Amino acid sequence: MLLREVEEQTVLRRQPRGHVTAQRRPWSPATAFSLGRPIDLRYPTNVSVVVLALLCLTAGAVTLIIQDVPWVEAIREGTLWAGALLLGWALGRETDPDHPLSAFAAAAGSLVGSWLLGPPGFLLSLWMLLAMRAINGSPGATPGALDLVVLAGASLWLAVSVHWLVAALGSPVIWWVGSARRSARLRWGGSVLFLLVAAAIATFRGLRLDLWRWEEPEGIAAISVAMLALVSAWAYRQIRSIGDRDQRPLCRGRVRVALVWAGFGCLLLTMADGVGLRVVTPIAAAIGSAAVGRAARVCWERMPRGRKG
């Protein structure tokens, strides 16, 4: 069902009504790497999150310095908290693209999680952010060679340095990155290759999935996040957000797939030996904020209104 919806959306994007072929933009790192999204300070919400991050860094560092923590260590901790806030916000923009307030709730959740559990895995969270953007199509452009190289390289590095599951999670990302215009053989070949790499790393390193963690608080929290991702994906009926470059509406099916992928990726990585919930706190906060925000909007819409007169 989702695949058919994605394919239909891709076909519609090939020749949109009133389409005029745009001139090719000159090459630059910004145009070659489409998955990146700089913080555009022309938007008030972006200015707000930058200000919040700076306040978080300053307040955190000053508080630790007052507690006789060395100033270098205090600035480092404040920077980690600010980074967790920014990552949660950015991921919240992908899990619930139509509602900026969900991103701020995700930023708050990510910050609290970093304060309670410790700093998250920044590189892993950044990889999940780029992967979600590649799946849901929010860049508004088909990922190019540089995008594929960055995603594949980061997947393999994290698979070796963190857990082989990252390569397994990268397999569907490589498949979804290719639009209908790409060779099906290339998409399937890349996906299978990543699964083989994951199996090889798992065999040689011996890392495993501790599925028994489902009885622990971390496991319960991760299962809850995965279920919230499913509910949020099902609840998406209409997407109003547009791509960064083509300014066309996002495909609802791809947004749903990205949300489900992130939810179950969070679940599996929490169960992974040596990873845990702390590492994926930003994505868990983003999914939770999207689900809670959706539930709050539904309750508000169904709340009875008093009649005037």
Side-chain angles (χ1 to χ4, degrees), residues 1-14 180 251:
M1 186 67 179
L2 291 180
L3 178 59
R4 183 168 64 253
E5 186 176 350
V6 170
E7 298 295 343
E8 290 175 355
Q9 183 77 6
T10 304
V11 171
L12 289 175
R13 287 189 177 190
R14 290 181 181 178
C251 173

Side-chain angles (χ1 to χ4, degrees), residues 52 84-85 88-89 102-114 281 285 289:
L52 287 174
L85 184 146
W89 175 82
S102 293
F104 285 97
S110 179
L111 176 61
V112 172
S114 178
T281 299
S289 67

Side-chain angles (χ1 to χ4, degrees), residues 19-34:
H19 172 71
V20 177
T21 303
Q23 295 182 353
R24 183 180 295 273
R25 300 172 66 181
W27 187 93
S28 69
T31 58
F33 185 62
S34 67

Side-chain angles (χ1 to χ4, degrees), residues 9 17 60 103 180 185 247 286:
Q9 183 77 6
R17 184 176 298 177
R185 183 179 302 176
Q247 300 296 299

Side-chain angles (χ1 to χ4, degrees), residues 124 127-128 131 151 154-173 191 194-203 205-211 213 222 261-276 279-280:
L124 180 61
W127 172 77
M128 295 192 77
L151 276 176
S155 300
L156 295 176
W157 171 260
L158 290 168
V160 173
S161 60
V162 178
H163 200 278
W164 59 265
L165 263 177
V166 179
L169 290 171
S171 176
V173 174
S191 299
F194 267 70
L195 289 177
L196 293 176
V197 168
I201 296 175
T203 300
R205 296 200 62 192
L207 296 176
R208 65 187 188 277
L209 284 177
D210 293 333
L211 297 178
R213 286 189 183 180
W261 174 86
F264 280 89
C266 180
L267 171 62
L268 292 174
L269 288 170
T270 300
M271 302 294 185
D273 185 26
V275 183
V279 178
V280 292

Side-chain angles (χ1 to χ4, degrees), residues 54-162:
L54 292 175
L55 289 175
C56 177
L57 190 158
T58 304
V62 170
T63 301
L64 292 175
I65 290 174
I66 292 175
Q67 297 174 357
D68 295 329
V69 175
W71 66 272
V72 174
E73 182 66 20
I75 293 176
R76 174 182 173 275
E77 289 297 320
T79 302
L80 291 176
W81 289 338
L85 184 146
L86 286 173
L87 263 179
W89 175 82
L91 285 162
R93 295 292 293 145
E94 303 302 326
T95 56
D96 194 4
D98 283 350
H99 302 96
L101 289 179
S102 293
F104 285 97
S110 179
L111 176 61
V112 172
S114 178
W115 178 59
L116 293 176
L117 304 177
F122 286 98
L123 185 56
L124 180 61
S125 298
L126 181 60
W127 172 77
M128 295 192 77
L129 171 64
L130 296 179
M132 287 193 71
R133 285 177 56 77
I135 295 173
N136 65 22
S138 59
T142 302
L146 183 57
D147 299 302
L148 290 171
V149 169
V150 170
L151 276 176
S155 300
L156 295 176
W157 171 260
L158 290 168
V160 173
S161 60
V162 178

